[in-house]
Amino acid sequence: MSRSREELKKAAVAAIDRHRDEIIAYGEEVFAAPELGYKEVKSAAKFQAFLDSIGFEHKDNVAITGVLSTQKGRSSKLKVAVMGELDAVLVPGHPFADALTGAAHACGHCCMQAALTGVAWAIKEANLMEDLDGDIELMAVPAEEYVELEYRNKLIKEGKISFLGGKQEFVKLGVMDDVDIMVMQHTLSTHNKKYKAHAASSANGFVGKLVRYIGKEAHAGGAPFDGINALNAAEIGLTAIHAQRETFRDEDHIRVHPIITKGGDLVNIVPADVRIETYVRGANVDAILDASKKVNRALEAGAYAVGAQVEIDELPGYLPMNINEELATVMYNNLCDLIGADQVENIAQGSGGSTDAGDIAHLMPTVHAYIGGASGGAHCPDFTIEDKEMAYVTAAKALICTVIDLLADGAEKGLSIKNNFTPKMTKEQYLRDWGHLNAD
Ligand SMILES: [Zn+2]
Ligand SMILES: [Zn+2]
């Protein structure tokens, strides 16, 4: 006689509550030991050691630092991936920043890792797989933050990765081939916000650019007339980008936010090597590609004006979020049960940020919930985990209760969501149409 969904959820939540202190401690330890994407060596080792300690087998070094652990159901009608991100972001001024690298968990991905351990405790101690008709794959995924473009571009050129984002790389490597549904959550800073959680929200997609202006060195005091000033070219390029902004439509949510990563070599030499990184974000692929063309034209105008050269490396960024309402509603109902319906919004308007979960959502039903507990600004020095119960423990409960709904009772709900889903593209189209930017 199988247990009902409610009995399974009760047992899962009880198991998580029994390990509450360990789950919080895990999250706090990761918070204090941040690592940047594709370099999450300690975080991956920590997750591997955790899985060993509870007797879960795992596959390591997937897309450099990723860790996978599959738990088989009593039958395998469906496979649900539960993802947690391993990486931190670069905020050198953060009180918990790594002194050497400047990395800090100012996006709260430590909470995702802690929540994965909570999900694992629930699976193990509540013997969930005995009553589920599908498999669960725990996935610790590298490199969600799209940063250190030059470093990662080098990894691409060395053949170590094909994409800058870890989930994109999972698609490329075939990790997602037998996965039917992806479930994850991200910590939310709830300061001044009406809701403590939302089941889903829109997110912009984007392309990335690495820009190099090449001028000609000359003595900056003695012979500037013999030089070609690449910094002047870059300044004109940036100004020309600003001149495009009035052409962006409100509904497309275009954001272009370049930084200069190198402004010259020595102050008494005319700058001959100036570098810029930028994203071009937008709410849909056509708008992104259109804005991207205008940005390239603007960058080229800067080079033309002073007779410099410009090289633009295009990098595939992330796709906009494709919200699956049927799946979001499963997460929504569980969040309502856990924290009260008045605290939860089902589908929220996104902030204009991006995630490579958007890429996964083009291929399979995906839910990317936001659950509170953080305060301060995301990617800012004041970001911290204030409500540890919410950020670490409730997050784990929301994930596993959603998975139980998908896989209990013959995986009826999960199969319905799978069957009602039309992918926006196949894996082959994705690698060809989005991944092609790598090859250019
Ligand atoms: Zn972030
Ligand atoms: Zn994040």
Side-chain angles (χ1 to χ4, degrees), residues 85 87-89 106-109 144-147 186 354 370 378-379:
E85 294 158 2
D87 62 329
V89 67
C107 205
H109 298 181
E144 186 277 328
E145 302 289 354
Y146 194 92
V147 297
H186 193 293
S354 308
Y370 279 88
H379 296 191

Side-chain angles (χ1 to χ4, degrees), residues 79-81 137 139 175-182 364:
K79 187 170 181 182
V80 176
E137 187 156 10
M139 297 186 172
V175 173
M176 306 307 293
D177 286 359
D178 63 348
V179 176
D180 299 293
I181 296 176
M182 196 275 266
M364 66 187 64

Side-chain angles (χ1 to χ4, degrees), residues 205-209 248 252 254-256 279-297 314-320 425 433-437 440:
F206 70 96
V207 294
K209 292 180 194 293
F248 300 149
D252 291 337
I254 299 294
R255 304 253 199 282
V256 187
Y279 293 3
V280 179
R281 298 192 203 241
N284 61 76
V285 173
D286 288 345
I288 295 166
L289 294 179
D290 178 62
S292 172
K293 247 188 252 165
K294 293 175 181 172
V295 167
N296 286 356
R297 197 174 62 200
E314 304 272 9
L315 300 162
Y318 300 158
L319 289 168
M425 49 179 87
D433 296 346
W434 198 237
H436 81 282
L437 290 170
D440 288 354

Side-chain angles (χ1 to χ4, degrees), residues 142-217:
E144 186 277 328
E145 302 289 354
Y146 194 92
V147 297
E148 295 194 300
L149 306 199
E150 289 212 36
Y151 170 73
R152 292 190 197 172
N153 205 29
K154 192 172 118 262
L155 292 180
I156 289 176
K157 292 201 165 129
E158 290 168 359
K160 292 183 178 148
I161 52 172
S162 303
F163 283 91
L164 271 68
K167 297 182 196 69
Q168 303 181 304
E169 191 65 10
F170 272 23
V171 173
K172 169 77 197 299
L173 294 173
V175 173
M176 306 307 293
D177 286 359
D178 63 348
V179 176
D180 299 293
I181 296 176
M182 196 275 266
V183 174
M184 67 175 292
Q185 61 86 31
H186 193 293
T187 303
L188 178 70
S189 179
T190 46
H191 220 60
N192 294 330
K193 293 225 170 75
K194 191 171 165 205
Y195 297 103
K196 287 208 173 111
H198 33 89
S201 67
S202 55
N204 267 345
F206 70 96
V207 294
K209 292 180 194 293
L210 277 173
V211 184
R212 184 172 175 222
Y213 281 103
I214 304 154
K216 182 165 166 265
E217 294 92 343

Side-chain angles (χ1 to χ4, degrees), residues 57-78:
E57 287 182 11
H58 50 91
K59 193 171 167 202
D60 305 334
N61 308 320
V62 181
I64 304 183
T65 50
V67 184
L68 309 175
S69 179
T70 304
Q71 308 305 316
K72 289 269 180 199
R74 67 178 172 189
S75 68
S76 297
K77 293 186 177 173
L78 208 65

